[in-house]
């Protein structure tokens, strides 16, 4: 089954404690992306990757890092999380037909 | 930069009636337009897209959208709403690798 998986699904952490949200896709897509979803703001793109070792900033990259060492994985790293990064995060994998496949989401709370 | 607006936070319709969820966009070049649906506690699911060609685009679950270049709109429509269509709907526009989503419209279909 074609899918995008994210882990963890829920995470409560404290300010400044580094964390990583993993994302993996099994569709051999080259293009992947990270979004955050906040009420009233829709989804905003954090980072995207066009292929292995190729990443670029989206609309709201501050406070985030990504890596793309292999095609299937695209982890999101928060080096020093802050309360304003409390949000719902989605990873997406994009097909050659320009259709995005979203993961189930990671709800992050930073206290 | 491109942008997309969904002027209605909430749309309520009765089951069996036609539904319309509105979307307007702004891009500097040719628009790549999308509709996604989000059910509770789930990631977004692709519904349909407009890249080029016919102005009326058909998608999943009986939905369709009409691209109107003069009005810069891409409204989502369905001839007969179902209770199961109740969800959060997002319009999105892509320009190069930059993807922008609207704030979302919550559709409620009442029996």
């Amino acid at each position: 089954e074609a899918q995008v998986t994210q882990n963890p699904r829920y995470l409560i952490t404290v300010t400044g404690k580094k964390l990583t949200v993993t994302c993996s896709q099994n569709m051999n897509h080259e293009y992947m992306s990270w979004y955050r979803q906040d009420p009233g703001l829709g989804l905003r793109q954090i980072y995207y990757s066009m292929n292995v070792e190729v990443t670029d900033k989206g609309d709201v990259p501050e406070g985030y890092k990504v890596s793309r060492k292999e095609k299937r994985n695209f982890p999101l790293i928060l080096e020093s999380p802050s309360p304003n990064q409390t949000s719902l995060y989605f990873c997406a994998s994009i097909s050659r037909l320009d259709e995005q496949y979203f993961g189930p989401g990671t709800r992050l709370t930073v206290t | 930069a491109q942008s997309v607006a969904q002027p209605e936070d909430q749309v309520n319709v009765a089951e069996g009636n036609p539904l319309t969820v509105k979307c307007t966009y702004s891009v500097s070049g040719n628009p790549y337009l999308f509709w996604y649906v989000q059910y509770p506690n789930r990631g977004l699911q692709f519904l349909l897209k407009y890249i080029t060609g016919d102005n009326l685009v058909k998608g999943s679950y009986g939905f369709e959208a009409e691209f109107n270049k003069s009005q810069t709109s891409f409204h989502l429509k369905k001839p007969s709403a179902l209770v199961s269509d109740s969800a959060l709907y997002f319009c999105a526009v892509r320009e190069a690798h930059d993807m922008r989503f609207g704030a979302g419209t919550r559709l409620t279909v009442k029996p």
Side-chain angles (χ1 to χ4, degrees), chain B residues 89-106:
Chain B
Y89 290 81
F90 290 97
C91 182
V93 61
R94 185 175 69 76
E95 191 167 38
H97 298 289
D98 191 0
M99 191 84 174
R100 299 291 174 103
F101 284 80
T105 298
R106 186 164 299 282

Side-chain angles (χ1 to χ4, degrees), chain A residues 31 37 50 90 97-98 100, chain B residues 34 36 38 49 94 97:
Chain A
Y31 195 109
Q37 181 180 12
M50 290 179 283
F90 288 102
L97 296 177
D98 217 350
Q100 297 206 48
Chain B
F34 306 83
Y36 286 84
Q38 185 179 31
K49 66 182 177 186
R94 185 175 69 76
H97 298 289

Side-chain angles (χ1 to χ4, degrees), chain B residues 13-17 19 39-40 63 78 80-89 107-111:
Chain B
V13 298
E15 187 174 31
N17 283 0
L19 71 86
Y39 298 102
F63 284 93
K78 187 172 183 180
S80 179
L82 301 172
V83 172
S84 58
D85 292 331
S86 298
L88 190 56
Y89 290 81
L107 172 67
T108 301
V109 181
K110 298 182 178 178

Side-chain angles (χ1 to χ4, degrees), chain B residues 10-22:
Chain B
Q10 174 94 30
V11 170
N12 298 314
V13 298
E15 187 174 31
N17 283 0
L19 71 86
T20 298
V21 183
K22 295 179 180 177

Side-chain angles (χ1 to χ4, degrees), chain A:
Chain A
E1 178 191 354
Q3 62 180 351
V4 178
T5 56
Q6 292 179 229
N7 281 292
R9 293 290 312 278
Y10 302 90
L11 179 59
I12 300 173
T13 189
V14 295
T15 299
K17 186 177 181 181
K18 181 180 178 180
L19 65 92
T20 299
V21 183
T22 65
C23 172
S24 184
Q25 51 99 358
N26 63 0
M27 294 166 279
N28 202 36
H29 291 159
E30 293 178 351
Y31 195 109
M32 298 183 73
S33 189
W34 273 103
Y35 297 91
R36 59 178 289 173
Q37 181 180 12
D38 301 289
L41 296 177
L43 276 77
R44 292 178 292 169
Q45 191 175 45
I46 302 171
Y47 268 94
Y48 63 90
S49 170
M50 290 179 283
N51 213 328
V52 175
E53 303 291 0
V54 181
T55 63
D56 208 347
K57 297 177 180 178
D59 204 21
V60 288
E62 294 78 20
Y64 305 95
K65 287 174 59 178
V66 293
S67 70
R68 189 89 182 275
K69 293 183 170 55
E70 49 191 338
K71 188 180 275 191
R72 65 182 293 121
N73 296 323
F74 189 43
L76 179 69
I77 303 154
L78 284 71
E79 294 270 1
S80 182
S82 61
N84 65 11
Q85 293 179 297
T86 292
S87 188
L88 180 58
Y89 291 87
F90 288 102
C91 178
S93 175
I94 298 95
S95 73
R96 289 182 180 271
L97 296 177
D98 217 350
E99 298 168 9
Q100 297 206 48
Y101 294 79
F102 284 83
T106 295
R107 188 167 292 280
L108 172 65
T109 302
V110 184
T111 61

Side-chain angles (χ1 to χ4, degrees), chain B residues 16-74:
Chain B
N17 283 0
L19 71 86
T20 298
V21 183
K22 295 179 180 177
C23 172
T24 59
Y25 66 90
S26 173
V27 295
S28 56
N30 291 323
Y32 291 67
L33 298 160
F34 306 83
W35 276 102
Y36 286 84
V37 59
Q38 185 179 31
Y39 298 102
N41 301 313
R42 302 283 297 276
L44 278 71
Q45 295 177 30
F46 171 82
L47 275 180
L48 52 79
K49 66 182 177 186
Y50 173 84
I51 305 296
T52 187
D54 290 340
N55 289 343
L56 187 64
V57 179
K58 295 189 182 297
S60 307
Y61 311 122
F63 284 93
E64 57 190 27
E66 187 171 9
F67 170 67
N68 188 317
K69 188 173 183 178
S70 62
Q71 297 185 6
T72 60
S73 67
F74 190 56

